[in-house]
């Protein structure tokens, strides 16, 4: 089993959840509660091993802590993964068993949707736990969080366009979007409405066909590497993590990378490779915070206008990070990390461990 202490300093808690009757095998990772209870989605994915699932949960929970801090939320960072094929293994008994584990943490961890889980799944989990967001509108929730995730990514793109080309618009720019099932599908609407062009790819033919029906003017390429090598102004990874690696970055032709996927950098050092190539990278946990903002607003009685107004601030925060990166001579991801770490350190100084209870 993956060593926890030492390899992942700063993480507060790692919880293994198993229910033999339903087949549940899940892991909940809490990175930080310095700013408040840890909020983060539940990913349902057929991991090749328990170690791979643990690594994903830990990495994603750290990103959530930084994301909440940069978004100005009084929340910490957590993430959960359920090991299995959601199309085959997802059942009501399994989700309810998982909900009981979430409830056992007494609010230290608040769950929401992620890859492989949807708002109706949150309604099932909520039958066993009070600490659930991203619920359906019919159940008083915020609904699909990919709506404001895409809106926030678009704001990040505008800030990057301004930093690179002098004006906060994608008009006349060619944007490549990898993954159009959730966030990427909504992002296309923003790009086209702003006067940009969109090129897409997705492993799901159904997802591609759905976009073609809505936007016949969108170009389609065969796979992600074809998109990476395409003549683009902006590359937007919106599927699973690790999209930026030692193979893709040297072949990337876009001047800006700004997308909705989590953990886009395959390993430390990729941010320097991007900088050395003159590619402006918008840290994913900075620009994709709109979904977190949307589900966090649900904790206070959801108001879409209020949540959208907060997500619009991603434009200004991205500007701040890009300016700091230039001033300090570091990649934007380093500047974003420093900003998030300062906020967590300032808020958490002298504060006891968050033990649970209602979100503040």
């Amino acid at each position: 089993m993956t060593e926890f202490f030492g390899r992942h300093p700063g993480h507060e808690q790692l919880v293994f959840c198993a229910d033999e009757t339903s087949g549940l095998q899940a892991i909940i990772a809490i990175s930080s509660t310095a700013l408040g209870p840890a909020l983060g989605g539940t990913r349902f994915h057929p991991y090749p091993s328990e170690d791979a699932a643990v690594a994903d949960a830990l990495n994603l929970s750290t990103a959530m802590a930084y994301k909440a801090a940069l978004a100005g939320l009084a929340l910490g960072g957590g993430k959960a993964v359920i090991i299995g094929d959601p199309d085959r293994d997802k059942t009501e008994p399994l989700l309810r068993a998982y909900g009981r584990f979430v409830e056992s943490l007494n609010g230290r961890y608040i769950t929401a949707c992620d890859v492989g889980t949807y708002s109706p799944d949150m309604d099932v989990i909520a039958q066993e736990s009070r600490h659930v967001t991203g619920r359906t509108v019919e159940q008083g929730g915020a609904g699909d969080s990919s709506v404001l995730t895409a809106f926030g990514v678009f704001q990040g793109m505008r800030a990057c366009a301004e930093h690179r080309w002098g004006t906060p618009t994608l008009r006349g720019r060619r944007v490549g979007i990898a993954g159009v099932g959730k966030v990427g599908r909504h992002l296309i609407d923003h790009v086209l409405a702003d006067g940009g062009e969109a090129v897409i790819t997705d492993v799901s033919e159904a997802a591609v066909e759905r976009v073609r029906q809505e936007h016949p003017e969108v170009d389609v390429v065969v796979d992600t590497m074809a998109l990476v090598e395409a003549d683009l102004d902006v590359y937007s990874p919106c599927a699973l993590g690790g999209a930026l690696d030692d193979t893709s970055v040297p072949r990337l032709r876009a001047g800006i990378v700004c997308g909705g996927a989590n953990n886009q950098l395959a390993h430390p050092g990729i941010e320097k490779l991007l900088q050395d190539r003159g590619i402006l990278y918008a840290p994913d946990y900075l620009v994709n915070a709109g979904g977190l903002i949307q589900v966090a607003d649900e904790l206070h009685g959801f108001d879409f206008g209020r949540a959208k107004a907060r997500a619009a601030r991603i434009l200004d925060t991205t500007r701040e990070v890009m300016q700091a990166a230039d001033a300090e001579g570091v990649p934007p991801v380093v500047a974003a990390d420093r900003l998030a770490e300062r906020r967590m350190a300032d808020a958490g100084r002298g504060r006891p461990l968050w033990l649970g209870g209602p979100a503040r």
Side-chain angles (χ1 to χ4, degrees), residues 288-307:
N288 70 10
L292 175 62
I293 291 167
Q294 181 168 331
V295 296
D297 194 84
E298 192 175 313
L299 298 172
H300 310 288
F302 183 62
D303 181 282
F304 184 81
R306 179 177 61 199

Side-chain angles (χ1 to χ4, degrees), residues 1-4 13-19 24-29 49-51 53-55 57-58 81 83 98 101 104-105:
M1 178 52 63
T2 301
E3 182 187 48
F4 180 65
Q13 193 171 8
L14 188 65
V15 181
F16 289 80
C17 315
D19 179 71
L24 173 71
Q25 292 184 324
I27 298 157
I28 300 172
S49 67
E50 288 183 19
D51 277 358
V54 169
L58 292 170
V81 300
I83 301 172
Y98 170 67
F101 280 104
S104 73
L105 293 173

Side-chain angles (χ1 to χ4, degrees), residues 41-131:
T42 296
R43 179 164 294 190
F44 207 131
H45 185 69
Y47 291 96
S49 67
E50 288 183 19
D51 277 358
V54 169
D56 205 27
L58 292 170
N59 290 335
L60 290 166
S61 66
T62 297
M64 292 303 298
Y66 282 62
K67 186 182 299 190
L70 290 170
L73 299 172
L75 292 167
K79 205 77 172 185
V81 300
I82 297 176
I83 301 172
D85 182 341
D87 293 331
R88 182 193 65 210
D89 302 323
K90 189 195 297 181
T91 63
E92 181 176 345
L94 183 147
L95 292 174
R96 292 188 67 157
Y98 170 67
R100 291 191 289 274
F101 280 104
V102 172
E103 182 64 20
S104 73
L105 293 173
N106 193 35
R108 273 180 53 74
Y109 170 65
I110 304 167
T111 197
C113 306
D114 198 79
V115 175
T117 61
Y118 302 86
S119 292
D121 299 325
M122 296 304 111
D123 287 345
V124 175
I125 294 168
Q127 294 180 54
E128 303 287 349
S129 177
R130 298 162 292 167
H131 310 295

Side-chain angles (χ1 to χ4, degrees), residues 29 38 49 97 101 146 153 186 205 213 250 273 298 320 342 353:
S49 67
F101 280 104
S146 64
V153 172
H186 295 295
E205 282 295 330
Q213 292 294 323
L273 181 58
E298 192 175 313
E320 180 182 356
R342 278 199 304 271
L353 187 73

Side-chain angles (χ1 to χ4, degrees), residues 145-146 149-150 153 179-188 238 260:
S145 64
S146 64
T149 302
V153 172
V180 292
K182 282 187 172 182
V183 175
R185 182 182 177 190
H186 295 295
L187 185 57
I188 291 168
C238 291

